[in-house]
Amino acid sequence: MQVRRLGIHESVSAVFPPERLRDALSDADPAVPVVGDDELGDCDAVVTFAYSDAFLDADLRWIHSIQAGYDRFPLDTFEERGVALTNSTGIHDTSVGEFAVGLMLSFARRLHTYVRNQQSREWSLPAWDEPFTLDGERLCVVGLGTLGQGIAERADALGMEVVGVRRSGDPTPHTQAVYTPDDLREAVSDARFVALAVPLTDETEGLVGAEEFDAMREDAYLVNVARGPVVAEDELVAALRDDEIAGAGLDVFEEEPLPDDSPLWDFEEVLVTPHRAAAERDYYRHIAGLVRENVERVTEGEEMTNRVV
Ligand code: NDP
Ligand code: 7N6
């Protein structure tokens, strides 16, 4: 494969201005124009946020997704057509790790309640036994890759007792025990927090539902920074209504933006964030690093990193 013209698809503007990435790659060998669907004609490859059928029409050889998740891409078609897809796993440990810990800290230290009260100039005290500390509390991280390990490392630093779940069951740093998905309910049963950090796949769709909420402690919080459909959302709403769990910090949803009429907006112990756990001003720099490395690898005839298909 030769990359002479690498388009930066305008859809990356969902996360950063495309021109930032263009400028960061200006010293790379290929030309790096910002392109829309109609301007892909001369490109061999594209860096993108969204998937567009125009990529196939333009016969691109390589597509780089600025997301770690690749659930929206037609992998089988890419495979059939010999299109390489690379993703952006490996860059979100700090950003999402800090975000997930932020959600947990907010619930424990009651920050979300104080922020809400401030809107109405209300000096209102929590019940004496409502606030708690993360120190000594148990966290179960489901999915122990970049995100999961980023969360585990920061939770461990705060004195939390961290366990995790992954298919291999292999140990990772900062976890005291690692379970396999068969033992998911056992893994979540003693946890004060359950943080989801798995990719959305056929196996993980609906991974957490009524039975898992039933297995969780009544004072437990769910944190979802993975993908909305990993959780059966109706069953989450039911679990929150029936006080089967204490609350949830949710960055991702079955439908995004979260519809106006979703009951999730209204729970006091639910924090809704707009799929921004990974957002940071240096995002485009991390992407530039990944893209630059793969351009060099392609030039040298080496295997690409973060190759999905
Ligand atoms: P990685 O590939 O680094 O890690 C995925 C982890 O999930 C691995 O530990 C894998 O371990 C585990 N896993 C896969 N399938 C299962 C399963 N069925 N049950 C339990 N564990 C499983 O990905 P990232 O950490 O970079 O990203 C994970 C996902 O998080 C992305 O796919 C994306 O959807 C989402 N994401 C969300 C962001 C946000 O802004 N909210 C930002 C970035 C990512 P093993 O192979 O041993 O099973
Ligand atoms: C960018 C979100 C991913 O999968 O959804 C995330 O990497 C990216 C703000």
Short mmCIF file of all heavy atoms in Angstrom, two decimals, residues 200 224 226-231 233 236 248-259 262 264-265 270-276:
data_model
loop_
_atom_site.label_atom_id
_atom_site.label_comp_id
_atom_site.label_asym_id
_atom_site.label_seq_id
_atom_site.Cartn_x
_atom_site.Cartn_y
_atom_site.Cartn_z
N LEU A 200 -17.98 -2.80 22.39
CA LEU A 200 -19.32 -3.31 22.04
C LEU A 200 -19.15 -4.38 20.97
O LEU A 200 -18.72 -4.09 19.85
CB LEU A 200 -20.21 -2.18 21.54
CG LEU A 200 -21.58 -2.61 21.03
CD1 LEU A 200 -22.40 -3.29 22.12
CD2 LEU A 200 -22.35 -1.40 20.46
N ASN A 224 -20.59 3.62 33.33
CA ASN A 224 -20.45 3.11 31.96
C ASN A 224 -19.73 4.13 31.08
O ASN A 224 -20.29 5.16 30.72
CB ASN A 224 -21.81 2.76 31.35
CG ASN A 224 -21.66 2.03 30.01
OD1 ASN A 224 -20.55 1.72 29.59
ND2 ASN A 224 -22.77 1.75 29.35
N ALA A 226 -18.10 2.71 28.39
CA ALA A 226 -17.82 1.82 27.25
C ALA A 226 -18.69 2.18 26.06
O ALA A 226 -18.35 3.08 25.28
CB ALA A 226 -18.02 0.36 27.69
N ARG A 227 -19.84 1.53 25.94
CA ARG A 227 -20.83 1.85 24.91
C ARG A 227 -22.21 1.60 25.52
O ARG A 227 -22.38 0.64 26.29
CB ARG A 227 -20.65 0.96 23.67
CG ARG A 227 -19.53 1.39 22.75
CD ARG A 227 -19.82 2.70 22.02
NE ARG A 227 -18.77 3.07 21.09
CZ ARG A 227 -17.71 3.83 21.38
NH1 ARG A 227 -17.54 4.29 22.60
NH2 ARG A 227 -16.82 4.13 20.45
N GLY A 228 -23.20 2.39 25.13
CA GLY A 228 -24.53 2.28 25.71
C GLY A 228 -25.10 0.87 25.67
O GLY A 228 -25.55 0.34 26.70
N PRO A 229 -25.09 0.21 24.49
CA PRO A 229 -25.75 -1.09 24.40
C PRO A 229 -25.11 -2.22 25.21
O PRO A 229 -25.64 -3.32 25.25
CB PRO A 229 -25.69 -1.40 22.89
CG PRO A 229 -25.54 -0.07 22.23
CD PRO A 229 -24.70 0.74 23.16
N VAL A 230 -23.97 -1.95 25.85
CA VAL A 230 -23.39 -2.96 26.75
C VAL A 230 -24.34 -3.15 27.95
O VAL A 230 -24.36 -4.21 28.59
CB VAL A 230 -21.97 -2.54 27.21
CG1 VAL A 230 -21.44 -3.46 28.29
CG2 VAL A 230 -21.02 -2.50 26.02
N VAL A 231 -25.13 -2.14 28.22
CA VAL A 231 -26.11 -2.21 29.32
C VAL A 231 -27.52 -2.26 28.72
O VAL A 231 -27.83 -1.51 27.80
CB VAL A 231 -25.98 -0.95 30.22
CG1 VAL A 231 -27.05 -0.94 31.31
CG2 VAL A 231 -24.59 -0.87 30.83
N GLU A 233 -30.62 -0.86 28.82
CA GLU A 233 -30.96 0.43 29.44
C GLU A 233 -32.30 0.39 30.18
O GLU A 233 -32.43 0.97 31.27
CB GLU A 233 -30.95 1.53 28.37
CG GLU A 233 -30.56 2.88 28.91
CD GLU A 233 -30.21 3.85 27.79
OE1 GLU A 233 -31.11 4.54 27.28
OE2 GLU A 233 -29.02 3.92 27.42
N LEU A 236 -31.72 -1.14 33.40
CA LEU A 236 -31.02 -0.21 34.30
C LEU A 236 -32.02 0.76 34.94
O LEU A 236 -31.99 0.99 36.15
CB LEU A 236 -29.95 0.57 33.53
CG LEU A 236 -29.32 1.76 34.27
CD1 LEU A 236 -28.57 1.28 35.53
CD2 LEU A 236 -28.35 2.53 33.37
N ALA A 248 -25.87 5.64 39.04
CA ALA A 248 -25.05 5.34 37.86
C ALA A 248 -24.43 6.61 37.29
O ALA A 248 -25.07 7.66 37.27
CB ALA A 248 -25.91 4.66 36.77
N GLY A 249 -23.19 6.48 36.84
CA GLY A 249 -22.51 7.54 36.09
C GLY A 249 -22.41 7.07 34.66
O GLY A 249 -21.75 6.05 34.38
N LEU A 250 -23.09 7.77 33.75
CA LEU A 250 -23.25 7.25 32.38
C LEU A 250 -22.72 8.25 31.36
O LEU A 250 -23.23 9.36 31.25
CB LEU A 250 -24.73 6.96 32.12
CG LEU A 250 -25.43 6.05 33.14
CD1 LEU A 250 -26.94 6.05 32.91
CD2 LEU A 250 -24.87 4.63 33.06
N ASP A 251 -21.73 7.82 30.59
CA ASP A 251 -21.17 8.67 29.53
C ASP A 251 -21.69 8.24 28.16
O ASP A 251 -21.53 8.99 27.19
CB ASP A 251 -19.64 8.57 29.56
CG ASP A 251 -18.98 9.56 28.61
OD1 ASP A 251 -19.33 10.76 28.67
OD2 ASP A 251 -18.12 9.15 27.80
N VAL A 252 -22.27 7.05 28.10
CA VAL A 252 -22.69 6.47 26.81
C VAL A 252 -24.08 5.85 26.96
O VAL A 252 -24.45 5.38 28.04
CB VAL A 252 -21.66 5.41 26.35
CG1 VAL A 252 -20.39 6.05 25.85
CG2 VAL A 252 -21.36 4.42 27.47
N PHE A 253 -24.83 5.84 25.86
CA PHE A 253 -26.25 5.48 25.92
C PHE A 253 -26.64 4.69 24.69
O PHE A 253 -25.97 4.76 23.65
CB PHE A 253 -27.08 6.78 26.01
CG PHE A 253 -26.68 7.60 27.20
CD1 PHE A 253 -25.66 8.54 27.10
CD2 PHE A 253 -27.25 7.37 28.44
CE1 PHE A 253 -25.22 9.25 28.21
CE2 PHE A 253 -26.82 8.08 29.56
CZ PHE A 253 -25.81 9.03 29.44
N GLU A 254 -27.78 3.98 24.80
CA GLU A 254 -28.27 3.22 23.64
C GLU A 254 -28.50 4.19 22.48
O GLU A 254 -28.20 3.89 21.34
CB GLU A 254 -29.57 2.49 24.00
CG GLU A 254 -29.31 1.21 24.77
CD GLU A 254 -30.58 0.48 25.15
OE1 GLU A 254 -31.70 1.00 24.92
OE2 GLU A 254 -30.45 -0.63 25.71
N GLU A 255 -29.09 5.36 22.78
CA GLU A 255 -29.27 6.37 21.74
C GLU A 255 -28.57 7.65 22.18
O GLU A 255 -28.77 8.11 23.32
CB GLU A 255 -30.78 6.63 21.54
CG GLU A 255 -31.05 7.57 20.39
CD GLU A 255 -32.55 7.87 20.22
OE1 GLU A 255 -33.39 7.11 20.74
OE2 GLU A 255 -32.84 8.89 19.58
N GLU A 256 -27.75 8.20 21.30
CA GLU A 256 -27.05 9.45 21.61
C GLU A 256 -27.34 10.48 20.53
O GLU A 256 -27.32 10.12 19.34
CB GLU A 256 -25.54 9.21 21.71
CG GLU A 256 -25.19 8.28 22.86
CD GLU A 256 -23.69 7.95 22.96
OE1 GLU A 256 -22.89 8.62 22.28
OE2 GLU A 256 -23.35 7.03 23.70
N PRO A 257 -27.61 11.75 20.87
CA PRO A 257 -27.76 12.26 22.23
C PRO A 257 -28.90 11.55 22.98
O PRO A 257 -29.86 11.11 22.35
CB PRO A 257 -28.11 13.73 22.03
CG PRO A 257 -27.71 14.06 20.64
CD PRO A 257 -27.78 12.80 19.85
N LEU A 258 -28.76 11.48 24.31
CA LEU A 258 -29.81 10.87 25.12
C LEU A 258 -31.13 11.61 24.88
O LEU A 258 -31.19 12.83 25.01
CB LEU A 258 -29.42 10.96 26.61
CG LEU A 258 -30.38 10.29 27.59
CD1 LEU A 258 -30.44 8.77 27.37
CD2 LEU A 258 -29.95 10.59 29.04
N PRO A 259 -32.18 10.89 24.46
CA PRO A 259 -33.45 11.57 24.15
C PRO A 259 -34.00 12.34 25.35
O PRO A 259 -33.82 11.93 26.49
CB PRO A 259 -34.39 10.41 23.78
CG PRO A 259 -33.49 9.28 23.40
CD PRO A 259 -32.23 9.44 24.19
N SER A 262 -35.88 10.53 28.10
CA SER A 262 -35.30 9.40 28.83
C SER A 262 -35.46 9.62 30.33
O SER A 262 -35.13 10.70 30.86
CB SER A 262 -33.81 9.26 28.51
OG SER A 262 -33.23 8.34 29.42
N LEU A 264 -33.58 8.59 32.47
CA LEU A 264 -32.25 8.69 33.08
C LEU A 264 -31.89 10.11 33.47
O LEU A 264 -31.09 10.35 34.37
CB LEU A 264 -31.19 8.10 32.14
CG LEU A 264 -31.25 6.59 31.96
CD1 LEU A 264 -30.33 6.13 30.84
CD2 LEU A 264 -30.89 5.88 33.28
N TRP A 265 -32.49 11.09 32.78
CA TRP A 265 -32.19 12.49 33.11
C TRP A 265 -32.62 12.83 34.54
O TRP A 265 -32.08 13.77 35.14
CB TRP A 265 -32.95 13.44 32.17
CG TRP A 265 -32.49 13.48 30.76
CD1 TRP A 265 -33.15 12.99 29.67
CD2 TRP A 265 -31.28 14.09 30.26
NE1 TRP A 265 -32.43 13.24 28.52
CE2 TRP A 265 -31.29 13.91 28.85
CE3 TRP A 265 -30.21 14.76 30.84
CZ2 TRP A 265 -30.25 14.38 28.02
CZ3 TRP A 265 -29.18 15.21 30.03
CH2 TRP A 265 -29.21 15.03 28.65
N VAL A 270 -28.09 9.73 39.31
CA VAL A 270 -27.54 9.41 37.99
C VAL A 270 -26.83 10.64 37.45
O VAL A 270 -27.39 11.74 37.45
CB VAL A 270 -28.65 8.96 37.00
CG1 VAL A 270 -28.09 8.87 35.57
CG2 VAL A 270 -29.21 7.60 37.42
N LEU A 271 -25.59 10.45 37.04
CA LEU A 271 -24.85 11.52 36.37
C LEU A 271 -24.81 11.20 34.88
O LEU A 271 -24.32 10.14 34.48
CB LEU A 271 -23.43 11.57 36.92
CG LEU A 271 -23.22 12.48 38.13
CD1 LEU A 271 -21.88 12.20 38.79
CD2 LEU A 271 -23.27 13.93 37.69
N VAL A 272 -25.37 12.11 34.08
CA VAL A 272 -25.39 11.94 32.62
C VAL A 272 -24.31 12.84 32.02
O VAL A 272 -24.33 14.05 32.25
CB VAL A 272 -26.77 12.34 32.05
CG1 VAL A 272 -26.72 12.43 30.52
CG2 VAL A 272 -27.84 11.35 32.49
N THR A 273 -23.38 12.26 31.28
CA THR A 273 -22.38 13.07 30.58
C THR A 273 -22.43 12.74 29.08
O THR A 273 -22.79 11.62 28.70
CB THR A 273 -20.96 12.84 31.15
OG1 THR A 273 -20.61 11.45 31.04
CG2 THR A 273 -20.88 13.26 32.61
N PRO A 274 -22.13 13.71 28.21
CA PRO A 274 -22.42 13.58 26.78
C PRO A 274 -21.31 12.90 25.97
O PRO A 274 -20.78 13.47 25.02
CB PRO A 274 -22.60 15.04 26.34
CG PRO A 274 -21.66 15.79 27.23
CD PRO A 274 -21.63 15.07 28.55
N HIS A 275 -20.98 11.65 26.32
CA HIS A 275 -19.94 10.89 25.61
C HIS A 275 -18.65 11.72 25.46
O HIS A 275 -18.14 11.89 24.36
CB HIS A 275 -20.45 10.43 24.23
CG HIS A 275 -19.69 9.26 23.69
ND1 HIS A 275 -20.24 8.27 22.92
CD2 HIS A 275 -18.36 8.92 23.79
CE1 HIS A 275 -19.31 7.39 22.57
NE2 HIS A 275 -18.16 7.75 23.10
N ARG A 276 -18.22 12.22 26.60
CA ARG A 276 -17.02 13.07 26.58
C ARG A 276 -15.96 12.59 27.57
O ARG A 276 -15.04 13.35 27.93
CB ARG A 276 -17.39 14.53 26.84
CG ARG A 276 -17.81 15.29 25.55
CD ARG A 276 -16.64 15.30 24.58
NE ARG A 276 -16.92 15.79 23.24
CZ ARG A 276 -17.38 15.05 22.23
NH1 ARG A 276 -17.69 13.77 22.40
NH2 ARG A 276 -17.54 15.56 21.04
#
